[in-house]
Amino acid sequence: KNQVEQSPQSLIILEGKNCTLQCNYTVSPFSNLRWYKQDTGRGPVSLTIMTFSENTKSNGRYTATLDADTKQSSLHITASQLSDSASYICVVSGSGGGADGLTFGKGTHLIIQP
Amino acid sequence: DAGVIQSPRHEVTEMGQEVTLRCKPISGHDYLFWYRQTMMRGLELLIYFNNNVPIDDSGMPEDRFSAKMPNASFSTLKIQPSEPRDSAVYFCASGDGRGRETQYFGPGTRLLVL
């Protein structure tokens, strides 16, 4: 069964610190992996999309990595800001690469404290 | 562009009533997705359309749920009759490229069935 597991479930860090969120998946065949940021009360917003051949992609202070061999991805946030407080959702797309076979993680709830 | 528009933003209804959620996708996007999000199950894809045609409705929980897309600028998700376990946040998202690229989410409709 295709699964996406995210860790930790929740995380609290001080403003200015770095943090790394993890995503492990068992989706096969693999097409792409996306990270979304979801602010409280709002819809998810895409941060990065990575295909099989990409092992790192950045979006400002967000850097996602992908190891397709071990089926692991991480999202690293550098110099965290209060606005980074949100849930971060990992989504893996299977065969076809599109909406078919999308498997969602339950997210990591990140809180940045001043 | 105003982004994906959903209405209503909040809906409170009683068990057994019909509920209709509405979505206006971003102009030019040929894919439209309906999601449901709960604390227990996270984000789930219910159904998606391509060029107004339903492609995959395997995520629709049961026959009480139905979705239509009569034209490229409007879609509805209907629940009839509603039940308390349908309480969730329902998101509409639109995109292009068969969902391979970024999906843009609306603000969601928060549904409470009493």
Side-chain angles (χ1 to χ4, degrees):
Chain A
K1 178 184 176 182
N2 290 337
Q3 286 187 316
V4 174
E5 299 287 341
Q6 291 189 243
S7 63
Q9 273 191 319
S10 60
L11 180 63
I12 301 174
I13 64 172
L14 292 175
E15 185 181 8
K17 298 296 187 183
N18 303 335
C19 67
T20 300
L21 314 180
Q22 298 290 344
C23 172
N24 296 339
Y25 61 92
T26 60
V27 176
S28 183
F30 170 86
S31 181
N32 63 60
L33 183 147
R34 313 163 194 222
W35 283 95
Y36 284 92
K37 178 188 178 191
Q38 185 175 21
D39 293 320
T40 301
R42 308 192 72 160
V45 174
S46 179
L47 293 175
T48 63
I49 301 176
M50 288 186 292
T51 60
F52 183 88
S53 59
E54 297 172 297
N55 55 23
T56 186
K57 185 168 277 191
S58 292
N59 179 355
R61 294 179 296 101
Y62 301 98
T63 300
T65 64
L66 173 65
D67 186 333
D69 291 331
T70 62
K71 299 186 177 180
Q72 295 179 327
S73 176
S74 64
L75 180 69
H76 186 74
I77 304 175
T78 304
S80 60
Q81 300 177 358
L82 297 179
S83 59
D84 294 329
S85 295
S87 288
Y88 292 83
I89 302 171
C90 175
V91 184
V92 180
S93 183
S95 177
D100 312 88
L102 283 176
T103 306
F104 296 82
K106 291 211 169 105
T108 291
H109 186 53
L110 176 64
I111 297 174
I112 311 297
Q113 287 187 336
Chain B
D1 199 314
V4 175
I5 299 172
Q6 291 187 247
S7 64
R9 292 294 310 277
H10 299 88
E11 176 81 23
V12 181
T13 190
E14 293 187 342
M15 182 174 64
Q17 296 298 305
E18 176 182 303
V19 176
T20 299
L21 311 181
R22 298 173 177 80
C23 175
K24 176 179 168 56
I26 293 173
S27 176
H29 284 180
D30 53 359
Y31 282 85
L32 183 139
F33 308 83
W34 281 102
Y35 292 89
R36 177 173 68 175
Q37 186 175 41
T38 62
M39 289 291 292
M40 289 296 296
R41 300 172 67 93
L43 203 57
E44 303 172 279
L45 177 64
L46 299 177
I47 184 172
Y48 79 95
F49 295 82
N50 176 220
N51 292 324
N52 313 338
V53 176
I55 302 300
D56 184 359
D57 65 353
S58 59
M60 296 285 261
E62 50 198 274
D63 291 345
R64 297 184 297 106
F65 285 69
S66 62
K68 294 182 179 179
M69 192 165 185
N71 57 62
S73 59
F74 183 66
S75 177
T76 60
L77 178 67
K78 185 176 293 186
I79 308 172
Q80 181 185 20
S82 58
E83 297 183 2
R85 60 194 169 117
D86 301 330
S87 298
V89 181
Y90 291 81
F91 288 103
C92 175
S94 71
D96 54 17
R98 196 175 169 229
R100 293 175 188 275
E101 303 304 325
T102 299
Q103 293 181 23
Y104 295 85
F105 283 75
T109 294
R110 189 173 295 274
L111 174 65
L112 177 60
V113 183
L114 301 174

